[in-house]
Amino acid sequence: DPSKEEHDEL
Amino acid sequence: AAGIGLLVGMNCPKAVKPRDVITGISGRSQILFLVTYVARYLDLLTNFVSVYNTAMKVFFIAASAATVYLMLFKFKATYDHNHDTLRVEFLIAPCALLALVVNHDFTPLEILWTFSIYLESVAILPQLFMVSKTGEAETITSHYLFALGSYRALYILNWIYRYYFDNFFDLIAIVAGVVQTVLYCDFFYLYITKVLKGKKIVLPA
């Protein structure tokens, strides 16, 4: 689930 | 970065005499890009991913802020008001509403990130609208738009790679990125078939 991870893209 | 750097370079007072500032750039699109980068990179100080990531976030915000300043303040006289007329409220409001409804997490930072993702996909519309109204785009503007469009198009390849190798995908970023790239497609066609052959983009009247 992407929200749990920090956004690592520009 | 090349596209944004090109824009700042061509608008920079040292590089060009005021009368040579490139015309045909949409100030409204530049404002939307500035809002996009600020809303998305608020985690600049809290979430360290890599030196490259932080450096690019700083560059994107600084360069787009510089472009907005140069275009709308320093060289206000050369800014083409009457052709840059797309109502940005009709772009910002739907993106804000959609970000409140469709997001990964209902927290301020995540909502702003989502808003920024949606806004970026339509931020180029005032520029494309302006090109259609003026009926042409300066060659340097075409290079800028091509760089800006290919940046998100290349991200699609990265998202495919990350799906197969990291088993990671972010549907919001992917859908918005595809929409954004599709919006550039007709421009890409004009760029490839005309600008690369040394012609100027002149749209049928």
Side-chain angles (χ1 to χ4, degrees):
Chain A
D1 175 4
S3 72
K4 294 298 165 266
E5 294 163 34
E6 299 292 340
H7 295 296
D8 60 358
E9 295 182 346
L10 288 174
Chain B
I4 296 173
L6 191 65
L7 207 53
V8 175
M10 288 310 290
N11 271 312
C12 185
K14 306 279 179 297
V16 292
K17 291 174 284 309
R19 71 171 177 283
D20 297 347
V21 165
I22 40 176
T23 57
I25 294 289
S26 161
R28 291 173 184 228
S29 274
Q30 294 311 312
I31 291 171
L32 293 181
F33 282 123
L34 179 57
V35 170
T36 295
Y37 297 139
V38 170
R40 189 176 309 176
Y41 301 149
L42 292 173
D43 64 351
L44 184 64
L45 304 174
T46 55
N47 167 27
F48 180 78
V49 176
S50 70
V51 173
Y52 166 78
N53 185 274
T54 301
M56 292 309 283
K57 286 177 177 177
V58 170
F59 174 76
F60 277 16
I61 292 175
S64 49
T67 300
V68 168
Y69 163 70
L70 288 170
M71 281 187 70
L72 303 185
F73 297 93
K74 187 139 180 82
F75 294 123
K76 191 173 172 54
T78 55
Y79 170 49
D80 180 359
H81 278 278
N82 14 359
H83 287 116
D84 190 9
T85 55
L86 191 68
R87 301 288 299 277
V88 292
E89 310 88 297
F90 297 154
L91 299 175
I92 292 177
C95 290
L97 288 177
L98 192 60
L100 287 167
V101 177
V102 181
N103 53 58
H104 291 310
D105 213 7
F106 201 80
T107 60
L109 265 183
E110 192 60 26
I111 301 264
L112 280 169
W113 178 86
T114 311
F115 165 67
S116 142
I117 289 287
Y118 295 147
L119 187 62
E120 187 188 358
S121 50
V122 294
I124 200 61
L125 283 176
Q127 179 67 65
L128 296 180
F129 181 78
M130 184 172 186
V131 169
S132 67
K133 277 196 84 173
T134 51
E136 63 177 2
E138 287 197 38
T139 306
I140 200 85
T141 308
S142 308
H143 295 315
Y144 160 71
L145 286 169
F146 178 74
L148 206 59
S150 40
Y151 141 75
R152 216 64 188 165
L154 292 172
Y155 247 116
I156 294 174
L157 302 180
N158 173 54
W159 290 327
I160 293 170
Y161 172 89
R162 289 190 72 177
Y163 177 69
Y164 284 112
F165 291 90
D166 307 346
N167 196 28
F168 167 84
F169 70 98
D170 180 347
L171 207 54
I172 286 180
I174 291 172
V175 172
V178 169
V179 166
Q180 180 172 337
T181 304
V182 166
L183 288 177
Y184 278 85
C185 279
D186 63 328
F187 170 73
F188 282 146
Y189 171 75
L190 286 169
Y191 184 79
I192 306 267
T193 57
K194 296 218 171 160
V195 177
L196 293 188
K197 290 186 178 130
K199 295 189 205 116
K200 239 179 135 172
I201 286 188
V202 180
L203 300 176

